[in-house]
Amino acid sequence: MRDSSGLEQLKQRVDAKLEAIRQQQRWRQLLPLRDSEDTVNLSHNDYLALRSDVHFQDLAWQAARHWPAGSGASRLLGGEHVIYGELEQAFSQWKGAESALYFSSGYAANEALMKALALEGACFFSDSLNHASLIDGMALAKLGPEQKHIFRHNDLAHLEELLQRFPCDLPVIVTESLFSMDGDYCPLPELAALARSYRALLVLDEAHSLGIVGPQGQGLLSAHGLSHDQILTINPCGKAMGGMGALIAGPNWFRDYLVNTARSFIFSTGPSPWTAAALLESVRYVAELQERRSRLAELSLRIRHRLGSMGFDCGAGSSHIIPVLLGSEVRALAAEQYLASQGIKTKAIRPPTVAVGTSRLRISLHAGLHDADLTRLFHAFEGLSHA
């Protein structure tokens, strides 16, 4: 047998994996943005349209230009810049928490938080539709089978059943505030009440609600008048906030704990000071965008009603994320391609992102949509309904 290098051995195995992905029709590739005036883009998470807001972009650029592009090191090893503290202080005040800690991404923040919470006597109760970063964080924590329990999506009765069956010293309930593929909110007041009843910690990922709900867009926690007294929140900023990175918000002592134990914080180069400076502007700017938040709510209501009247199943949610449930992967991909031919850019979501048999189109609304865009959208879906 001919000798081969390690890289050639790797290629053989990778080729087999990639071929299996192709056979399952789950091949994915990176496609550069090529939006034009002829395209209605409903595929991104820039919910408040900050990328196309010239005034905001100028504010962000002016703020960033005073800082270096790179931090130079991890924040504990020569890479701590004053702008991080300014951002964390402003964000925690806006969010209504004692403090916050800035991470380079929502994924890094969620992984760090799950591992940090895996203390002696802790057990986790996680919604079945939670994001991969939360799931991976629990996997990294090397939880035993008695420490991790999955409850059916938004099913409080099932959650309480699990809390009763698996008592522990530190129950940790983990959920998203707004689920990114189904577009529905968690029943937060009821979850908070259940957590209090069982002396559990509630952890809330606000990725898709931050900037959108609440008096000034502070998220679902604020929208329901709840506080950080018994709740930790993860606040990714790459969506409605128009930037990148994430802040974990909670009490001062927990921030100290993360600084000293969170591996993705300790061993990562600090986020770009540019992005921190831009986010500081975003926190101030987003608070004033109530008209855009109202516009999103109006768009969601109109589109859900109209698509429902055409016979499309848009799920049970009411948010700016609208799933159009189609079932099969083949049907979802065909629908994506048809809409693209009509100038409507939306994405087919299929396994493993969602369960087998629940493939869908994901319509991601943003405040920059005009009535003429809705007319094109409805016309395209009329054609799809007869295709």
Side-chain angles (χ1 to χ4, degrees), residues 4 11 39 78 94 122 130 141 145 165 184 222 245 259 303 305 338 372 385:
S4 59
K11 184 178 185 300
T39 301
W94 178 58
N130 276 341
R165 283 174 56 197
D184 57 343
S222 178
V259 168
I303 293 172
H305 176 76
Y338 175 80
S385 69

Side-chain angles (χ1 to χ4, degrees), residues 310-330:
M310 297 179 198
F312 290 103
D313 181 359
C314 295
S318 60
S319 74
H320 51 284
I321 300 170
I322 304 177
V324 181
L325 301 169
L326 298 172
S328 77
E329 297 174 53
V330 171

